[in-house]
Amino acid sequence: MSDLKPSSRRKAKPQITASLSPKPARQPKPVDKATVLEIFRRFEAANPHPEGELEYVNSYTLLVAVLLSAQSTDVGVNKATRALFPIADTPEKMLALGEEGVRERVKTLNYFNTKAKNVIAMSKRLVEEFGGEVPRSMEALTTLPGVGRKTASVVMNIAFRIPHIAVDTHIFRVANRIPFVNTKTPLETQGPLEKLVPDEFKLHAHHWLILHGRYICKARVPECARCLINDLCRYPAKTL
C-alpha cells in the first residue's frame, strides 16, 4: 500500500526511450584523394578495358540503344535492338521504318510508345539539322528529343571517348556508399564525381562504377565479401 495520501498522488509522466525514436545513422565522410586513387587502381587492375553491355554498331545505334534503356534493362534492350538495328542503323533508315515499325520492334520495353516516338523525332532532327550524324557535344545532344544529360554523357564517353560519368541508380548508390560524395540525387552527383575521379581513370570510371553497382554493390544486399575495395569502403551496413 502506498504511503502517499490520495490528495498528494501524482500521475507518472510517460517515459520516452531512445528506442522509440532512434536517430538516423550518420553518413560517413567521403574518402580522401589517396583512397579514391587506390580504388580506381584496383578497378583498373581487375578490368583494364571495361565495356558497356548495350549492343550497338555505330554512334547512332548507341544513341538509340541508350535512349531505349530508360527504365529497362540492358538485356531487354539488346533483345529488342537485335531485330531493329539490322534494318535501321542510320537515321534515314529509321525514318523509312517509321514510328509504327519501331514500336513493333521495341514493344517489349517499358514506355515503348514514347520511346518509339522519340526515336523517330530524334532521327528526324539528326537528318534535318546535323546531316544524319550524331553531334559530338553535350549541348547539341541534349537538344534532341528524348535525350537528357545522362544519355548524352554515355554517348560522349563511349562513342567519342570524351570522358563523362553518366550517373544512373547504380553509380549514384555506389558513389554514396563508398562514399565518394554525399548527394541526394543522381543529377547533383555527376559534377562532383567527375571532378573527383583522377584524369587517368575518367574514361573508364563510368563502366567500372556501373558494373560494380550492378554485380557487387547491389541495392538490397551488397556482396561485400566479393568486393575488391571492401577494406577502403566506409559503408556502415556491410555484409562481411
Side-chain angles (χ1 to χ4, degrees):
M1 185 174 178
S2 173
D3 59 357
L4 292 177
K5 294 180 181 180
S7 60
S8 63
R9 290 179 181 171
R10 295 179 181 177
K11 291 183 179 180
K13 292 182 179 180
Q15 299 262 336
I16 300 176
T17 63
S19 61
L20 295 179
S21 54
K23 293 182 179 180
R26 181 177 295 179
Q27 176 80 345
K29 289 184 178 180
V31 295
D32 57 34
K33 291 183 178 180
T35 303
V36 173
L37 185 62
E38 177 60 20
I39 286 171
F40 282 102
R41 280 176 177 165
R42 293 187 190 182
F43 282 149
E44 182 180 52
N47 187 3
H49 305 289
E51 295 183 356
E53 296 182 319
L54 286 174
E55 297 173 1
Y56 64 96
V57 295
N58 54 33
S59 59
Y60 170 71
T61 53
L62 173 64
L63 177 57
V64 173
V66 179
L67 188 156
L68 293 174
S69 70
Q71 304 297 318
S72 298
T73 66
D74 288 359
V75 172
V77 172
N78 290 338
K79 287 180 179 179
T81 57
R82 285 169 194 159
L84 178 63
F85 291 161
I87 59 174
D89 59 356
T90 68
E92 294 83 358
K93 292 178 182 178
M94 196 70 74
L95 289 173
L97 183 61
E99 186 176 326
E100 181 58 37
V102 176
R103 185 185 301 114
E104 182 61 26
R105 288 164 178 81
V106 303
K107 63 185 180 182
T108 55
L109 304 177
N110 293 329
Y111 308 108
F112 66 91
N113 283 315
T114 299
K115 290 177 178 179
K117 186 177 295 185
N118 283 336
V119 166
I120 291 299
M122 178 267 290
S123 301
K124 189 170 186 287
R125 283 281 303 283
L126 287 178
V127 170
E128 293 177 349
E129 299 183 27
F130 297 97
E133 300 294 326
V134 177
R136 299 172 64 97
S137 78
M138 288 287 293
E139 293 74 15
L141 281 168
T142 53
T143 67
L144 299 173
V147 178
R149 185 171 182 81
K150 185 173 75 173
T151 297
S153 294
V154 174
V155 173
M156 292 290 289
N157 192 80
I158 298 177
F160 304 129
R161 299 184 69 79
I162 300 172
H164 284 280
I165 301 176
V167 181
D168 67 351
T169 56
H170 295 300
I171 294 180
F172 174 66
R173 179 174 65 253
V174 170
N176 277 275
R177 275 182 176 174
I178 290 176
F180 288 142
V181 295
N182 289 335
T183 53
K184 295 182 179 180
T185 67
L187 184 61
E188 70 181 64
T189 304
Q190 182 168 348
L193 192 56
E194 288 181 344
K195 290 179 182 178
L196 182 70
V197 176
D199 288 344
E200 63 265 38
F201 300 119
K202 279 185 178 175
L203 183 62
H204 295 317
H206 168 81
H207 291 316
W208 285 322
L209 293 174
I210 197 169
L211 292 172
H212 188 66
R214 186 173 289 165
Y215 296 112
I216 303 295
C217 196
K218 300 174 182 178
R220 292 188 178 181
V221 183
E223 297 188 22
C224 300
R226 296 176 53 222
C227 177
L228 54 80
I229 60 166
N230 60 39
D231 59 316
L232 303 174
C233 173
R234 298 177 179 176
Y235 183 50
K238 289 181 183 177
T239 60
L240 290 175

